[in-house]
Amino acid sequence: MTEPYAVTVPKGYRVGVWEVRAPIATGAFGSVYEARRVGDGDGGLPQTAALKFLPTGTGTPRQLSHLRELVEREVELHRRLRRPRLVRMYETLVVDDPARPALDGATVLVLEKAEGSLSALLSASPRPAAGPALLGQVCEGLAQLHRAGWVHGDLKPANVLLMRDGSARLADFNMAAELEGTHAYTPAFSTPDYTPPELLWSEIGERGRRIRPSADVWAFGVLAHLVLTGSFPLPGGTPTARRDAGAAYARGTEELRLSPALPEAWRETVRACLTRTHAERIGTDALSRRVAAATGGTGGRSVLARRPLRRRTALAAAATALAAAVAAAALGYGIAARSGGGPGPGARGSGGGTTTVSAASYGAAELRTDRGVPPAYRLLIVETARDCGREDVSPPLIAAILKVESDFDPDLADPVNDEYGIARWTPAVLRWWMNEDGTPADSVPEPPFPPAESIPAMGRYLCWITPRLGTGLPGDRRVLIAVAYRTSYDKVNDAGGVPPKNRAYADRVAHYLKEYTPPGRK
């Protein structure tokens, strides 16, 4: 190991079912190591993961209080939010090893293993070609956090992870905080280059510093300018100089000077993020729409609602290209990546999770990988089912409905029935199911609707249908849910099961439901 780690863990050390392998990254508050699963039975866990060690068992009382607060923030957010743009936590463990005082009592977060970080990618390739697409996904993650009532508090390139399937995830939530009305409270720590002027010298109370979602919006503006131009939007050769320039800008004695290299499609969006005061700053939903437009989208609340690709092969090719772009990047988990390269007792722990990280095998424990479900849609299908939380609304059911409705064709158009896209949505109905908060959308994208809008909306609708179907109806309840999606739950209830005209549809769904369900699962 070339530099000291905050938490030194020898290679081969066992924590639960995990064996520590190579070190990945370290920072002031913790260290991250690659690990492989070696215990009996997988419990839905992947073969490899990233273990984030946080030393909450040793130190001074003051240090312990601070570290435990950071850990509690991160664990609480992971437990309450499961979204495609937030890095997934499989389980938490606590090291029980009195023989190693430096490790004893440490909290271990078992996280998705990424292929790299945005910080490492920018170091290797300033202004990367994949930059706009990655920014779109970062904005999607912010929108997911803010709509759930949380503020990230420390958005920066090191806290954006790049996964094997080419997607981006937000990570490092130990500064995240839940909103209490218009504000949240975070520790008095953040990265100056990404901190809005109003917070640089803000008063710090007993609960920490008050922060608004607009602080994340400012950070996104800085991030977008850096990704798209290779430079920071405020002048200065050091963080201190840039901080002073930010203060002058906030006082009105300095103007914002955006780089000429900033693409015109992004200029006003970045300017709207980097306003002098939080009150002038663009809101997250409006930002999502602008970013969608800047990346070729058609509007709507989800930044993933971009122009639908005309061929599914193009979508797969884009994911492959992005994965290749990040393959050489060093891995980061919100802390500076370092290289380097030590056996031990076990752990006590709790929790659980599921999934692997490649596009082709995402959610393999829940959805078969060898029956023709396009890799491009696996993450959406699996995460949509998880978001519902009802056993009957499973990834195989969603995949079976998509297969029967459209054969996974994102460009399907049936003007006679006014149905479009992979899930055959009618525009007037789709607007009621697009938003996570249950409110109707102000508008819908132009048909055919993007899968990133259509599939989550389908999940929300199926989740709503399920408890409204009568109990005791004959047949597979999952198939009845699918038929209710095609017709209505009222018609299924009135018919006492599958209506005669929908029997062929039900048979096809049942066939693919069986096809897509992994062995040993119902």
Side-chain angles (χ1 to χ4, degrees):
M1 195 171 293
T2 59
E3 296 184 57
Y5 263 45
V7 185
T8 301
V9 185
K11 184 176 182 180
Y13 191 84
R14 286 284 300 273
V15 184
V17 299
W18 303 100
E19 181 182 271
V20 171
R21 307 304 295 167
I24 293 173
T26 194
F29 302 123
S31 301
V32 182
Y33 292 81
E34 180 181 356
R36 67 180 181 183
R37 178 170 51 79
V38 295
D40 295 333
D42 62 15
L45 297 170
Q47 289 292 329
T48 61
L51 304 189
K52 185 172 184 177
F53 285 80
L54 298 158
T56 53
T58 59
T60 68
R62 183 182 180 88
Q63 289 172 328
L64 288 180
S65 176
H66 181 65
L67 286 171
R68 283 178 180 141
E69 180 186 356
L70 298 182
V71 172
E72 287 167 4
R73 287 172 180 273
E74 183 153 8
V75 171
E76 180 66 13
L77 185 142
H78 276 299
R79 285 176 175 167
R80 292 174 57 179
L81 300 183
R82 297 168 67 88
R83 298 290 185 269
R85 294 294 167 223
L86 311 182
V87 72
R88 180 171 296 281
M89 182 178 75
Y90 299 113
E91 59 180 336
T92 62
L93 303 166
V94 178
V95 176
D96 185 8
D97 189 0
R100 293 179 180 268
L103 276 177
D104 189 38
T107 296
V108 183
L109 310 186
V110 183
L111 304 168
E112 281 182 293
K113 182 180 177 296
E115 290 296 307
S117 71
L118 182 55
S119 178
L121 177 61
L122 294 176
S123 295
S125 178
R127 301 177 66 183
L134 293 174
L135 288 172
Q137 295 178 30
V138 170
C139 190
E140 171 84 2
L142 280 186
Q144 290 169 354
L145 276 176
H146 291 178
R147 290 172 195 155
W150 288 73
V151 180
H152 188 283
D154 196 22
L155 177 66
K156 56 186 177 182
N159 290 344
V160 177
L161 299 185
L162 306 180
M163 313 308 290
R164 187 176 178 184
D165 65 359
S167 63
R169 302 273 209 286
L170 298 190
D172 201 19
F173 302 115
N174 53 32
M175 298 297 166
E178 190 171 14
L179 287 167
E180 302 173 20
T182 59
H183 292 77
Y185 294 86
T186 66
F189 174 84
S190 60
T191 306
D193 270 326
Y194 300 89
T195 302
E198 69 269 15
L199 293 183
L200 286 172
W201 293 277
S202 63
E203 183 178 348
I204 300 169
E206 291 183 1
R207 301 181 61 194
R209 184 172 59 186
R210 290 175 55 170
I211 191 172
R212 304 174 180 88
S214 58
D216 287 342
V217 172
W218 170 278
F220 179 82
V222 176
L223 183 70
H225 195 279
L226 181 64
V227 168
L228 298 170
T229 72
S231 65
F232 288 100
L234 292 168
T238 66
T240 299
R242 291 189 290 270
R243 182 196 62 190
D244 293 342
Y249 171 58
R251 291 194 301 266
T253 59
E254 183 71 56
E255 293 298 319
L256 190 66
R257 295 184 177 90
L258 301 181
S259 169
L262 187 63
E264 196 61 36
W266 284 86
R267 186 166 293 273
E268 290 308 310
T269 299
V270 170
R271 190 180 295 277
C273 293
L274 303 179
T275 58
R276 285 190 169 94
T277 69
H278 75 86
E280 301 172 283
R281 213 158 289 151
I282 191 171
T284 311
D285 285 345
L287 175 62
S288 294
R289 290 191 288 270
R290 287 199 185 189
V291 171
T295 54
T298 54
R301 292 174 65 95
S302 172
V303 82
L304 289 179
R306 288 188 259 280
R307 182 186 304 117
L309 298 178
R310 308 322 297 179
R311 297 177 301 278
R312 281 171 284 164
T313 53
L315 190 60
T320 301
L322 186 54
V326 305
L331 188 60
Y333 280 84
I335 47 185
R338 299 176 185 169
S339 62
R348 58 184 185 269
S350 62
T354 174
T355 203
T356 54
V357 295
S358 72
S361 61
Y362 195 94
E366 301 162 80
L367 181 65
R368 288 191 68 152
T369 61
D370 58 348
R371 290 295 187 269
V373 178
Y377 305 131
R378 290 188 65 90
L379 183 144
L380 278 169
I381 291 169
V382 172
E383 292 292 341
T384 292
R386 290 172 178 169
D387 281 347
C388 172
R390 296 185 183 276
E391 184 178 1
D392 289 331
V393 182
S394 62
L397 176 62
I398 293 174
I401 296 174
L402 293 172
K403 174 67 176 179
V404 175
E405 292 285 354
S406 68
D407 195 24
F408 300 108
D409 184 358
D411 299 328
L412 181 142
D414 183 358
V416 174
N417 293 305
D418 198 26
E419 294 176 346
Y420 304 92
I422 195 169
R424 278 188 172 266
W425 279 109
T426 299
V429 178
L430 175 59
R431 69 180 292 264
W432 289 93
W433 301 100
M434 283 176 59
N435 292 344
E436 292 182 60
D437 60 8
T439 60
D442 296 332
S443 62
V444 297
E446 291 294 320
F449 308 118
E453 293 284 11
S454 297
I455 296 174
M458 170 189 277
R460 288 188 277 273
Y461 188 35
L462 295 175
C463 210
W464 181 81
I465 286 172
T466 300
R468 289 165 172 78
L469 283 174
T471 58
L473 295 175
D476 188 328
R477 189 167 181 82
R478 296 168 300 174
V479 174
L480 294 176
I481 294 169
V483 173
Y485 176 82
R486 170 82 322 243
T487 174
S488 75
Y489 71 87
D490 282 331
K491 291 182 179 178
V492 173
N493 288 338
D494 290 345
V498 177
K501 74 172 188 176
N502 298 115
R503 284 174 184 161
Y505 178 93
D507 289 344
R508 293 190 67 208
V509 169
H511 169 77
Y512 288 108
L513 184 58
K514 184 177 179 180
E515 280 276 297
Y516 298 150
T517 301
R521 297 182 74 100
K522 294 183 178 180

